Amino acid sequence: MLRHEFQPGRLVGGISLTAAGGLYLGDLRGLWDIPWFTAIPLAVGGLILAGVTTAVTRAARRRNATEDEKV
């Protein structure tokens, strides 16, 4: 199996969208009542957090790559 680079931004985005889906699944099953507009802040907030995570990861990897070239 080919190994691939770990991408924490995709992990954060996937967890936030899965959490939103889980909340609505609980609403569908009658466990609790979730207003319809709850998905917007969950999805947008999760995607913003995923973008920030991706930017921080990219900056850290770029910094490590330049330090490795100097040695």
Side-chain angles (χ1 to χ4, degrees):
M1 181 171 153
L2 296 175
R3 301 193 52 76
H4 62 291
E5 184 177 36
F6 177 63
Q7 298 175 346
R10 286 189 178 193
L11 176 66
V12 170
I15 288 173
S16 66
L17 293 176
T18 301
L23 286 175
Y24 280 105
L25 181 63
D27 184 31
L28 179 70
R29 308 240 344 159
L31 299 175
W32 51 76
D33 186 30
I34 302 293
W36 64 270
F37 54 84
T38 307
I40 296 170
L42 279 174
V44 171
L47 291 175
I48 289 172
L49 187 59
V52 169
T53 304
T54 299
V56 169
T57 303
R58 181 176 293 164
R61 288 182 179 166
R62 186 174 297 156
R63 182 176 178 199
N64 286 339
T66 58
E67 288 177 359
D68 289 343
E69 290 174 1
K70 290 180 182 178
V71 174

